[in-house]
Amino acid sequence: MKHLKAAYTTLAARHGMGAALFVAIAVTLWVVVFITLPQLSMLDYSFRFNLPVDQLGTDADHYTLEQYRSFFFNNDGSINTLDITILVRTLVAALIVTAIDVIICYPIAYILAHGANGVAARLMVIGLIIPYWINEILRAFAFRVLFGATGVVNTWGMQLGLWDAPIDFIRADVALYCGLAYAYILLMIFPIYNAVEALDHTQVEAARDMGAPLWRVHWRVVLPMAKPGIASGATMVFMLTAGALAAPQILGGPSSLWFTQVIYQWFNESSNWPRGSAYAVVLLVTCISFVLLMMRVFKVSVGEIGK
Amino acid sequence: MPDRSVLLDHITIRFGNFTAVDNANLKINSGEFFSFLGPSGCGKTTMLRCISGFSEPTEGKVLIGGKDMAGVGPNKRPTALIFQHLALFPLMTVAENIAFPLEVRGVSKKERRKKADELLEMIALPGIGDKKPGELSGGQKQRVAIARALAVEPDILLLDEPLSALDLKLRQHMRTELRAIQKQVGVTFIYITHDQGEALTMSDRVAVMSRGVIEQVGEPDRIYNRPRSAFVASFVGENNAVEGIIKGQSGETAALETPMGTFEARVGGGRKYKAGDKALLFVRPEQLIPGESANAFQSVLSRQEFEGATNHVFANTGDQELRISMVNAGLAGSLPGQGETLSLGFRPLNATILPVGHMASEA
Amino acid sequence: MNRHTLFGGAYAIAFFSFLFGPLIIMSMTAFNSSRFPRVSPWECFTTGWFNELFGNARLMEGLLNSVIIGVGVVALAVPIGLAGALALSELPAKLRAALYTVLILPILIPGVVLGISTIVLWGQISRGMGAGFLYNGYFLTIVGQITFVSAYAMLVFIARLQRFDATQTEAALDLGATPGQAFRKILLPFMAPAIGSAAFITLLASFENYNTTVFTVLSESTFTTALASKVRHGTDPSLSALAVIIITITLVGALTNEALQRRKEAEMGGRASRSPLYLNPVTRTLTHPGVVLAILVAVIGGISYAGSQHDSSVCEAGVLQEKLDRQEELRAAQRAKIEAMEAEQEKTLPKSNSAFGGAFGGLGTPAPAPEPAPKPESPSAFGGAFGGITAPKTDE
Ligand SMILES: Nc1ncnc2c1ncn2[C@@H]1O[C@H](COP(=O)(O)OP(=O)(O)O)[C@@H](O)[C@H]1O
Ligand SMILES: [Mg+2]
């Protein structure tokens, strides 16, 4: 509090009373009304019963663990393997998508930072950004076109004689994984690029000069430099993939639900908001603990994200 | 004429536990060209920012024109600061830059332009008003920054190493120009530099700083000829330092026993010594004269560096290496060769005995 | 070294193929008259899907809603993001890290969670205070989106602020400006380009958002949610037509922006006087961003006009007839096959497939293998082709 006040005073001294007031009000509004209160409210809701409006505030309206219990256990007391499996599968899938993105983005980030220059680099940057100006839904749709039964992949695959009946890539989740990996490429490339760019290229050349093979140069020189970037990119890709809703709805096979879809169903199809809130809390807590755990393991801090 | 003096009344500035300026106490006179000279990191910029109002002193007071400046912000003080990297506004034209002080005071656009053109005339750069600072050369930017600062019509102009980014030739030219501008406008200039050449050639008076402490204040020749501390003696100009023990003092001079012999020299800073005190003897290279009978001693010539008008000769006496500057005597003169014995001496008044203290190389 | 350059180049090409391939193929399907979005078999070149797109009332209504919401989000998120960036620049290191974490969190929190928490909070508020007017799709969506969109704006501002030389502000103060004047005349003009890009990014993010909006928009729909429900309930190439439009706008924007950046750079760096492009008055005019934009718009306008005049009905009728014929023949073949199977039981299937595959593959592509019992979920050739006619346009 004391620090906040001091910061406010320096702000006022540097940019004037008006600017300081504006900053103070806007940031408070953002932190309290837009970020904190909704989460608290959702948390509160997740401990309540799903009551019709006329019963709110009556005796029936008290706190309960019912919503969380029903995530872990079925009514008959057995473990709710269905929902838990979906959550675990969502996390694993998000992890796989993140790994795919790291693998395909690292070389491009490196090429962008140290291989390409001038016009080539500019074109690459534009080329990276343009696909992200196109609606998320349409990007997913593109993969549906690509992987559909009569999509290009099936047509070409069969023409080349690789397989002779259309493969259902949608059901096999191939389209989903591709679409998700595609969706967050940019979020992986730029943090890695920023980290790798700081590397003095002569270091790479020096290492090459000493006869180190390319993979070793990367392992020993470039990768350590890229690590914070990878961590930052991976965090964002993981969180966004685990929290994705559109792509699973459009590209997901009929049998494989994403956990967000379960939440969506509780809200929009079953109109059970407390249950949906509880599931949302479960998703949030799981994702954040997972990311924090990974950050602990790879020794990076939250401050790196978004750089 | 307004009072354009600055009084630093026992100023101390601390950052946490670190003391950046330690008990500075001096008066800068109205219309003076005053320099702070010291190695980088000694607290010069900190001092300047305190005068201009960007920071308040931890202890003490700043008085400008006799008025206490406590609580007066930089925009309310009669000072203008020329920043180390000039801080011209890149998005404004040169004329807009120069007229910025008038703009914020609500002066009309036409008048602003007129004043800007006048000032551009003064710095001998008429007609560049519509360019952007990015299109100017280093020297031009420098002058525009001065014009912009003068547009405030300040009583005090503060300059923070303004020439450090220029190349040598331009730097020397700008020294003369700055001095001329100062004479013309009559504003007090407070100039900061780590370059003693700048400080000594331009200034009316110089304050030498080290580790946040003002070591000595005085006219350039006094700083050079009558250093009051080991730091000043070693920082300003070249100097030979020899350690020794006081044998006795008589008025202005004292006798000092050193490994090279016992010498008689002037006592710096009017100090009093007892026999047995440790002290340092400072003799400038140009004061060591071959064949001089006063304070004579023998040394062996080890090497020479030829530099046209002067020869830098290095000679050894025991462990001590001495630096000697000799005027080039031309073909008619002669110098002993390497390894030959050189008989040297110096006049007692041209050498200074000072207490042991930190030297420039250790600052 | 050369080997590595080659490898790097090849990798880059493969990577960008992955990035652009799906978009290109999707765009191509917009011009194929096939009712299911696909490039092969190619039926007829058509521009009819564009008309179909503009005729989609729900999408167009969503577009309007998106614009309203987008304007609201930009108007609030940009100042909030700027405030966040300024606050971070003044805080001591420890507190700054904490605030940064809090402010960046909404980007990481699943959008679903943000959407839910927003409607839950404002639902409670409107019930508790009887302020039912707050509980509407526009307001909730703006509020919900601001939460994370502001963080995007903030990141843009932080990047710009890091390049700000604080002595500029000090110089202004020293020259007599009040802190407020220095803020308005020095810092804000410096931030101006960032305000532009932040506005653009926040608008795009607001427009694009699905995960949060699908909850907060309640019974209304935005462009993106309308799009999503259309995609989920059966697809047709009018979506590809939409993609073509968006990609075109994007390319025009990117090219104009590039021209703008180049020119700005040339002017700032003093390189302007040296570049031959800039000296020659003709090329100088031609490379002016405004002119670039005008030329691009004119070309696209021309192409669109030519396209709108194109009539593919004859060709389509031909294809339809061919399809009906083919279906008839397939039925005949099936009948024959069943009869044959009844007659002699050990005749194998693949042979008969390839037999009429060759017969009907007019464009040199084998006709999709007919499956006796197509899976209901998989959009097989026939399901796509004929299901499209009766594609459900229902809400969820
Ligand atoms: N805001 C500050 N916080 C902490 N230390 C500072 C600050 N400003 C300057 N210092 C320290 O004070 C000393 C003097 O700095 P300065 O006045 O800039 O030196 P110079 O003589 O080179 O201009 C330096 O050691 C510097 O690190
Ligand atoms: Mg300094």
Side-chain angles (χ1 to χ4, degrees):
Chain A
M1 209 60 223
K2 198 181 81 203
H3 291 298
L4 285 181
K5 195 140 183 237
Y8 177 81
T9 322
T10 45
L11 203 65
R14 182 161 314 172
H15 302 304
M17 232 17 210
L21 258 174
F22 153 69
V23 167
I25 292 174
V27 172
T28 312
L29 199 68
W30 188 10
V31 170
V32 177
V33 180
F34 294 152
I35 298 179
T36 314
L37 280 184
Q39 303 303 322
L40 291 180
S41 167
M42 180 180 76
L43 193 66
D44 173 80
Y45 225 80
S46 70
F47 289 107
R48 291 178 182 278
F49 289 106
N50 189 29
L51 297 172
V53 179
D54 57 7
Q55 283 188 38
L56 291 177
T58 61
D59 285 346
D61 192 5
H62 58 84
Y63 287 113
T64 171
L65 284 173
E66 170 59 25
Q67 313 301 349
Y68 290 94
R69 203 192 61 81
S70 74
F71 169 72
F72 291 104
F73 304 104
N74 291 322
N75 277 339
D76 57 14
S78 61
I79 303 282
N80 182 356
T81 46
L82 188 65
D83 287 346
I84 294 176
T85 312
I86 291 174
L87 178 62
V88 171
R89 205 174 48 210
T90 302
L91 294 181
V92 171
L95 216 52
I96 293 173
V97 168
T98 308
I100 293 174
D101 269 350
V102 171
I103 292 166
I104 64 178
C105 291
Y106 173 79
I108 281 295
Y110 179 76
I111 292 172
L112 194 59
H114 292 285
N117 41 29
V119 181
R122 259 187 125 104
L123 275 179
M124 279 174 78
V125 172
I126 297 176
L128 282 174
I129 294 174
I130 283 178
Y132 292 90
W133 289 13
I134 290 146
N135 204 297
E136 182 188 0
I137 309 292
L138 288 176
R139 289 194 304 239
F141 175 63
F143 277 88
R144 202 150 140 180
V145 171
L146 207 61
F147 283 114
T150 60
V152 171
V153 175
N154 263 323
T155 319
W156 286 355
M158 290 193 296
Q159 240 166 38
L160 292 174
L162 297 179
W163 55 88
D164 45 31
I167 296 178
D168 193 344
F169 289 107
I170 307 261
R171 183 179 285 270
D173 280 342
V174 174
L176 178 59
Y177 280 60
C178 281
L180 284 169
Y182 184 98
Y184 305 118
I185 278 179
L186 197 63
L187 291 176
M188 185 63 88
I189 286 187
F190 279 117
I192 302 183
Y193 168 80
N194 283 338
V196 173
E197 200 208 10
L199 180 75
D200 187 355
H201 193 60
T202 51
Q203 281 186 29
V204 177
E205 274 158 15
R208 296 279 305 148
D209 226 34
M210 289 181 255
L214 196 62
W215 69 265
R216 186 179 286 277
V217 175
H218 276 273
W219 184 249
R220 301 278 300 164
V221 181
V222 185
L223 212 55
M225 205 67 187
K227 209 179 84 173
I230 292 177
S232 158
T235 308
M236 284 193 281
V237 171
F238 175 81
M239 290 297 277
L240 290 177
T241 311
L245 178 60
Q249 280 183 345
I250 294 169
L251 294 173
S255 56
S256 60
L257 274 184
W258 218 246
F259 194 69
T260 48
Q261 287 174 283
V262 178
I263 300 175
Y264 182 86
Q265 284 173 355
W266 280 121
F267 257 80
N268 287 9
E269 278 148 36
S270 316
S271 280
N272 190 340
W273 286 24
R275 182 72 52 89
S277 296
Y279 276 47
V281 170
V282 168
L283 177 68
L284 187 61
V285 170
T286 319
C287 283
I288 289 184
S289 345
F290 192 79
V291 165
L292 289 180
L293 182 74
M294 284 297 133
M295 287 184 152
R296 180 65 61 85
V297 171
F298 290 106
K299 299 195 183 64
V300 283
S301 74
V302 190
E304 309 280 355
I305 293 163
K307 296 243 160 89
Chain B
M1 196 161 110
D3 183 358
R4 291 168 163 168
S5 67
V6 176
L7 182 68
L8 303 179
D9 186 2
H10 298 91
I11 301 277
T12 296
I13 304 168
R14 292 196 193 92
F15 300 114
N17 289 329
F18 176 75
T19 306
V21 172
D22 191 0
N23 197 23
N25 192 33
L26 62 89
K27 181 169 184 201
I28 298 162
N29 298 320
S30 200
E32 194 173 24
F33 197 125
F34 190 93
S35 293
F36 283 97
L37 170 66
S40 109
C42 72
K44 306 182 297 290
T45 299
T46 307
M47 177 87 86
L48 209 64
R49 292 173 61 82
C50 174
I51 299 173
S52 58
F54 287 114
S55 62
E56 293 282 336
T58 318
E59 284 164 30
K61 285 188 294 197
V62 177
L63 283 84
I64 298 178
K67 286 202 268 303
D68 190 349
M69 287 289 133
V72 180
N75 50 342
K76 298 274 162 35
R77 296 193 184 190
T79 58
L81 175 58
I82 295 191
F83 289 81
Q84 202 157 359
H85 300 290
L86 306 182
L88 293 175
F89 306 132
L91 301 176
M92 301 183 191
T93 65
V94 167
E96 283 168 345
N97 259 283
I98 295 179
F100 182 81
L102 307 176
E103 188 187 334
V104 298
R105 286 171 177 78
V107 175
S108 80
K109 198 161 184 172
K110 219 171 109 203
E111 230 169 298
R112 293 203 309 250
R113 185 69 209 213
K114 200 170 131 249
K115 177 84 184 195
D117 285 339
E118 267 173 41
L119 282 162
L120 281 171
E121 198 79 45
M122 194 202 84
I123 55 164
L125 288 174
I128 63 160
D130 292 322
K131 291 195 177 177
K132 291 274 175 74
E135 300 170 58
L136 304 183
S137 72
Q140 289 175 324
K141 280 186 204 160
Q142 189 72 59
R143 279 185 264 186
V144 169
I146 293 169
R148 185 179 71 176
L150 290 175
V152 192
E153 298 186 347
D155 291 334
I156 324 283
L157 192 66
L158 307 162
L159 303 99
D160 190 353
E161 313 213 16
L163 305 185
S164 56
L166 305 182
D167 59 47
L168 183 69
K169 201 77 180 262
L170 195 55
R171 205 150 64 210
Q172 283 177 342
H173 172 73
M174 287 301 295
R175 282 185 196 175
T176 337
E177 197 149 319
L178 274 178
R179 184 72 212 202
I181 292 174
Q182 195 257 341
K183 283 272 178 289
Q184 186 186 341
V185 296
V187 166
T188 306
F189 271 40
I190 301 181
Y191 189 93
I192 275 189
T193 181
H194 65 267
D195 178 334
Q196 46 173 303
E198 278 174 19
L200 298 183
T201 50
M202 288 192 282
S203 320
D204 295 315
R205 284 194 304 151
V206 178
V208 183
M209 281 185 81
S210 166
R211 302 176 178 176
V213 176
I214 294 180
E215 297 263 334
Q216 186 171 354
V217 182
E219 290 79 13
D221 64 315
R222 288 184 74 88
I223 297 278
Y224 189 82
N225 289 327
R226 297 162 178 267
R228 295 170 64 99
S229 72
F231 176 81
V232 176
S234 56
F235 184 71
V236 181
E238 295 287 345
N239 232 329
N240 293 298
V242 183
E243 272 186 56
I245 290 166
I246 300 283
K247 296 261 89 173
Q249 181 173 359
S250 65
E252 284 256 308
T253 61
L256 189 75
E257 186 187 304
T258 75
M260 291 160 54
T262 301
F263 299 118
E264 174 103 0
R266 192 181 68 85
V267 172
R271 289 188 180 78
K272 296 273 178 284
Y273 294 94
K274 304 188 300 288
D277 284 350
K278 270 194 172 177
L280 285 167
L281 172 70
F282 285 93
V283 192
R284 295 216 179 260
E286 70 272 19
Q287 303 299 347
L288 281 171
I289 296 160
E292 167 70 44
S293 56
N295 289 324
F297 61 98
Q298 300 290 316
S299 65
V300 178
L301 196 150
S302 60
R303 64 194 168 92
Q304 299 187 35
E305 284 168 8
F306 179 72
E307 203 199 276
T310 39
N311 257 342
H312 303 290
V313 177
F314 296 88
N316 282 6
T317 304
D319 290 343
Q320 183 87 36
E321 182 175 70
L322 297 170
R323 183 188 175 103
I324 307 139
S325 297
M326 293 184 186
V327 176
N328 184 357
L331 294 177
S334 71
L335 248 180
Q338 206 159 326
E340 286 181 41
T341 306
L342 192 59
S343 172
L344 294 167
F346 56 91
R347 310 268 287 277
L349 277 183
N350 290 346
T352 314
I353 292 174
L354 290 167
V356 178
H358 73 277
M359 309 257 247
S361 55
E362 309 156 9
Chain C
M1 198 64 216
N2 238 330
R3 201 160 46 92
H4 296 131
T5 318
L6 209 66
F7 176 77
Y11 184 82
I13 289 170
F15 178 85
F16 282 100
S17 309
F18 174 59
L19 220 51
F20 284 97
L23 301 180
I24 292 170
I25 286 166
M26 173 170 58
S27 303
M28 284 162 66
T29 63
F31 299 100
N32 187 359
S33 63
S34 162
R35 286 222 148 254
F36 188 75
R38 58 181 170 187
V39 285
S40 66
W42 188 266
E43 293 180 2
C44 294
F45 177 84
T46 178
T47 52
W49 297 119
F50 287 88
N51 295 332
E52 171 119 5
L53 173 70
F54 294 124
N56 185 328
R58 183 141 187 250
L59 268 183
M60 292 302 128
E61 187 189 314
L63 186 62
L64 183 66
N65 287 342
S66 280
V67 170
I68 296 170
I69 289 166
V71 168
V73 168
V74 169
L76 289 167
V78 170
I80 290 179
L82 180 61
L86 287 172
L88 288 175
S89 72
E90 295 298 335
L91 284 174
K94 251 219 167 98
L95 213 56
R96 183 189 316 141
L99 184 63
Y100 185 81
T101 309
V102 172
L103 296 184
I104 214 74
L105 212 55
I107 292 185
L108 297 178
I109 292 178
V112 176
V113 175
L114 288 181
I116 291 172
S117 57
T118 303
I119 53 174
V120 167
L121 173 71
W122 292 96
Q124 281 180 332
I125 288 179
S126 63
R127 233 186 302 113
M129 308 202 307
F133 63 92
L134 284 180
Y135 197 72
N136 74 70
Y138 297 100
F139 176 78
L140 290 186
T141 305
I142 290 175
V143 168
Q145 289 188 352
I146 282 174
T147 312
F148 67 97
V149 167
S150 301
Y152 293 141
M154 182 182 79
L155 290 178
V156 175
F157 289 127
I158 288 177
R160 182 79 183 160
L161 216 50
Q162 268 168 357
R163 290 198 285 148
F164 183 67
D165 176 9
T167 55
Q168 297 267 319
T169 294
E170 295 195 336
L173 292 181
D174 189 62
L175 294 167
T178 61
Q181 277 174 324
F183 184 75
R184 283 196 306 278
K185 289 176 189 282
I186 306 296
L187 188 61
L188 277 187
F190 175 82
M191 297 302 277
I195 293 176
S197 20
F200 179 75
I201 287 174
T202 46
L203 184 68
L204 199 69
S206 159
F207 223 83
E208 277 243 305
N209 183 261
Y210 175 73
N211 294 3
T212 302
T213 310
V214 77
F215 287 93
T216 54
V217 81
L218 306 177
S219 59
E220 311 281 340
S221 66
T222 67
F223 189 65
T224 302
T225 59
L227 201 59
S229 74
K230 187 165 163 56
V231 175
R232 286 170 63 201
H233 296 113
T235 50
D236 73 52
S238 67
L239 292 171
S240 308
L242 175 64
V244 170
I245 293 172
I246 294 180
I247 290 170
T248 309
I249 294 174
T250 304
L251 283 176
V252 170
L255 286 174
T256 312
N257 184 50
E258 183 69 6
L260 201 72
Q261 295 301 329
R262 290 272 169 122
R263 166 146 305 214
K264 217 187 262 167
E265 219 168 72
E267 278 170 0
M268 285 296 269
R271 211 153 40 98
S273 44
R274 264 176 277 146
S275 160
L277 271 182
Y278 199 78
L279 274 182
N280 183 329
V282 178
T283 49
R284 184 177 169 153
T285 326
L286 276 179
T287 53
H288 188 278
V291 178
V292 171
L293 180 65
I295 292 175
L296 289 173
V297 169
V299 169
I300 290 160
I303 293 175
S304 313
Y305 179 73
S308 68
Q309 301 304 96
H310 177 81
D311 188 3
S312 59
S313 52
V314 179
C315 172
E316 275 175 54
V319 169
L320 190 64
Q321 191 53 50
E322 197 182 306
K323 248 186 231 165
L324 292 176
D325 292 351
R326 189 162 73 196
Q327 213 180 11
E328 195 48 49
E329 283 185 54
L330 276 176
R331 276 205 204 103
Q334 197 116 16
R335 264 199 304 276
K337 198 168 71 191
I338 292 166
E339 279 164 20
M341 284 213 311
E342 279 170 355
E344 44 177 314
Q345 297 262 327
E346 63 261 38
K347 193 74 190 153
T348 47
L349 257 127
K351 254 182 199 160
S352 70
N353 271 355
S354 62
F356 56 71
F360 303 122
L363 291 168
T365 50
E371 283 178 334
K375 281 175 239 153
E377 305 93 347
S378 82
S380 75
F382 299 123
F386 296 109
I389 298 168
T390 55
K393 281 187 181 159
T394 50
D395 302 352
E396 61 257 42

